[in-house]
Amino acid sequence: MISATAKHLFRTPIRASSVRNGKRFSQSTSGAASEIKAADSAITPTVPIGMSLAAMCAGVTTVGATCAGIEQLTSPECPEFDARGTRFDQGTFMGRFAERLLACDPTLLVYSSAKVEQAKAMVDNAPYLISNPPSGSSNVHRELWESKRIVDATLHPDTGIAIPAPFRMSGYVPFNGPVCVAMVASSSTPALLFWNWANQSQNALVNYFNRNASSDVTNEEIIKSYTIAVGAAMSVAFGLATFIKRSYDPATAQRMLRFVAFPASVAASSLNCYIVRSPEISTGVSLFDKDGKTVLEGDTSQVAAKKGVYATTASRALLPAPVYFLPPALMAAVSPIRRLTEKNPRLSVPITTFLLMISFGIGLPATIAVFPQISEIEVDKLEEKYQNLKDDQGKPIQRLYFNKGL
């Protein structure tokens, strides 16, 4: 999700003229930076790895603290627990954002398998616990929502199998951080290629593990999708920069690369997501009614699958925006940050690292929240086999639902 964007932000040389005039720092991608390295070597500070890693940890901690604060602030308005429902109104963007923000909380990674099983047992026994609150419980509904948050962040909603920690939404910021810092430290093309491969591989696996898993996909399809997705994303990220670098003089290339990094990142993220998720379109996804009961057991809908894949791909296209624009805007607009980096240019990379972690910690749930995870679709837009179904009362079913994936 962060490839050309992170590379663009992190590898921003701080020029003497920018420091003197207090203007926005000049930017370049790694390809252009390598060509003008000799000219900038006297004024471009080395990357402070230790401080950048500390900034990364501080950013992850801040995201976790923000999630804890949001949970605490919204606790007085906590609704009655519903195992099939959500704590926040999914009919509004702010409700979906709050739900996704708490789902992307990095602190959810610290819970052990035993704690997840305990949380799942609480959710499964919710009716009894609501009628007979445990001793010492001040708000059983809030405790049940928190248990559900732990379960939902760990177990896939379709399979009930634990998602590996690096590929959970709650794990993306802390696990992607070291990859981004490694890209900062990379000074050669092979190193940059390796870490971008690692980044795009993680993106592909995040997309895979958070897909709709109600239909089977063969191992051959998984390997094929992974290879094409990572190859296409890296080709976009490096191909465009290489073309510009070879077609124009270094100064012109540097100016142009400031504008192509964002669209290149959008294209890479979208391609990665679409290619990994596209097998769902051919196999289809299961549908369920408003009570969560699967309809036409064993059958799937390609129409719903297409809608889900397209929506998820669109959200990935939006993801680079806050990560790309917010850190440099804050670096230039917030006076204390600007003065600090002017006095000590070596702090520019650690501060950018911190701001990027914060931006991603907020931007990820915000872009996912654009579309509801549980999507609805009218039956007259589905395949014919879904258009004459009736509910338990014999009434025609007008809408069905499916897990869009994340």
Side-chain angles (χ1 to χ4, degrees):
M1 296 180 191
I2 307 177
S3 55
T5 300
K7 179 177 63 178
H8 175 77
L9 289 172
F10 281 132
R11 299 187 66 82
T12 300
I14 303 174
R15 301 182 182 280
S17 60
S18 296
V19 174
R20 286 195 300 269
N21 297 329
K23 296 179 180 179
R24 185 183 180 190
F25 300 134
S26 300
Q27 297 179 324
S28 68
T29 61
S30 58
S34 64
E35 288 204 357
I36 59 175
K37 183 177 180 181
D40 283 340
S41 58
I43 55 177
T44 301
T46 57
V47 176
I49 302 299
M51 286 193 292
S52 297
L53 287 170
M56 180 198 71
C57 294
V60 173
T61 302
T62 302
V63 172
T66 300
C67 294
I70 295 296
E71 196 284 323
Q72 183 67 36
L73 287 172
T74 58
S75 60
E77 303 172 359
C78 189
E80 292 186 1
F81 181 74
D82 178 3
R84 293 196 183 98
T86 57
R87 177 171 172 173
F88 301 94
D89 180 11
Q90 298 301 286
T92 66
F93 171 78
M94 290 307 299
R96 294 194 297 271
F97 172 68
E99 191 78 22
R100 290 296 99 208
L101 180 66
L102 295 188
C104 294
D105 181 359
T107 63
L108 291 170
L109 296 173
V110 304
Y111 294 108
S112 64
S113 298
K115 178 62 178 178
V116 174
E117 288 300 321
Q118 180 183 350
K120 187 175 184 302
M122 285 190 65
V123 173
D124 292 341
N125 293 310
Y128 175 80
L129 293 173
I130 292 172
S131 302
N132 304 275
S135 58
S137 174
S138 59
N139 187 339
V140 68
H141 292 286
R142 180 186 177 189
E143 292 169 7
L144 285 168
W145 283 121
E146 281 297 281
S147 295
K148 187 175 186 294
R149 183 163 75 105
I150 295 171
V151 173
D152 290 348
T154 307
L155 307 180
H156 194 285
D158 294 329
T159 64
I161 298 173
I163 299 172
F167 312 127
R168 300 173 194 170
M169 286 300 172
S170 58
Y172 199 88
V173 174
F175 281 98
N176 190 252
V179 176
C180 292
V181 173
M183 286 193 287
V184 178
S186 300
S187 58
S188 66
T189 299
L192 280 170
L193 284 170
F194 172 79
W195 287 112
N196 271 272
W197 166 79
N199 181 66
Q200 290 299 339
S201 295
Q202 184 181 25
N203 292 344
L205 290 168
V206 168
N207 292 329
Y208 170 75
F209 279 105
N210 291 279
R211 74 198 189 286
N212 182 304
S214 61
S215 57
D216 294 330
V217 179
T218 66
N219 292 333
E220 290 77 10
E221 289 175 316
I222 294 170
I223 295 171
K224 179 181 176 181
S225 297
Y226 164 79
T227 303
I228 297 175
V230 174
M234 290 187 66
S235 296
V236 169
F238 280 93
L240 189 57
T242 300
F243 171 77
I244 291 174
K245 180 176 66 174
R246 292 178 177 176
S247 302
Y248 300 92
D249 61 86
T252 302
Q254 182 187 6
R255 289 193 297 270
M256 294 183 67
L257 286 168
R258 291 161 62 182
F259 298 99
V260 303
F262 175 66
S265 181
V266 169
S269 296
S270 301
L271 274 172
N272 193 316
C273 179
Y274 177 77
I275 293 170
V276 169
R277 296 284 304 274
S278 59
E280 294 174 30
I281 297 176
S282 60
T283 59
V285 296
S286 298
L287 302 180
F288 51 87
D289 61 20
K290 62 181 180 179
D291 297 320
K293 182 181 177 181
T294 301
V295 298
L296 299 182
E297 191 77 43
D299 281 342
T300 59
S301 169
Q302 293 177 320
V303 174
K306 183 182 294 186
K307 180 181 179 181
V309 171
Y310 286 176
T312 308
T313 301
S315 71
R316 293 296 190 271
L318 297 172
L319 178 59
V323 181
Y324 183 88
F325 293 112
L326 190 56
L330 291 174
M331 292 279 283
V334 179
S335 298
I337 296 178
R338 188 175 66 247
R339 287 194 297 267
L340 183 62
T341 53
E342 288 173 356
K343 291 179 180 179
N344 192 344
R346 280 179 56 83
L347 293 178
S348 177
V349 171
I351 291 175
T352 301
T353 302
F354 175 77
L355 293 176
L356 190 144
M357 293 294 104
I358 300 298
S359 300
F360 191 68
I362 296 173
L364 176 62
T367 54
I368 295 175
V370 172
F371 304 100
Q373 180 180 0
I374 302 301
S375 299
E376 68 174 47
I377 186 168
E378 295 178 0
V379 294
D380 58 6
K381 296 179 180 178
L382 291 167
E383 293 87 344
E384 185 177 355
K385 59 187 175 182
Y386 290 104
Q387 295 180 10
N388 296 300
L389 301 177
K390 299 183 184 298
D391 61 19
D392 294 338
Q393 284 74 41
K395 298 179 180 179
I397 296 178
Q398 302 295 328
R399 293 180 179 84
L400 291 172
Y401 304 84
F402 64 96
N403 172 27
K404 171 184 69 67
L406 296 175

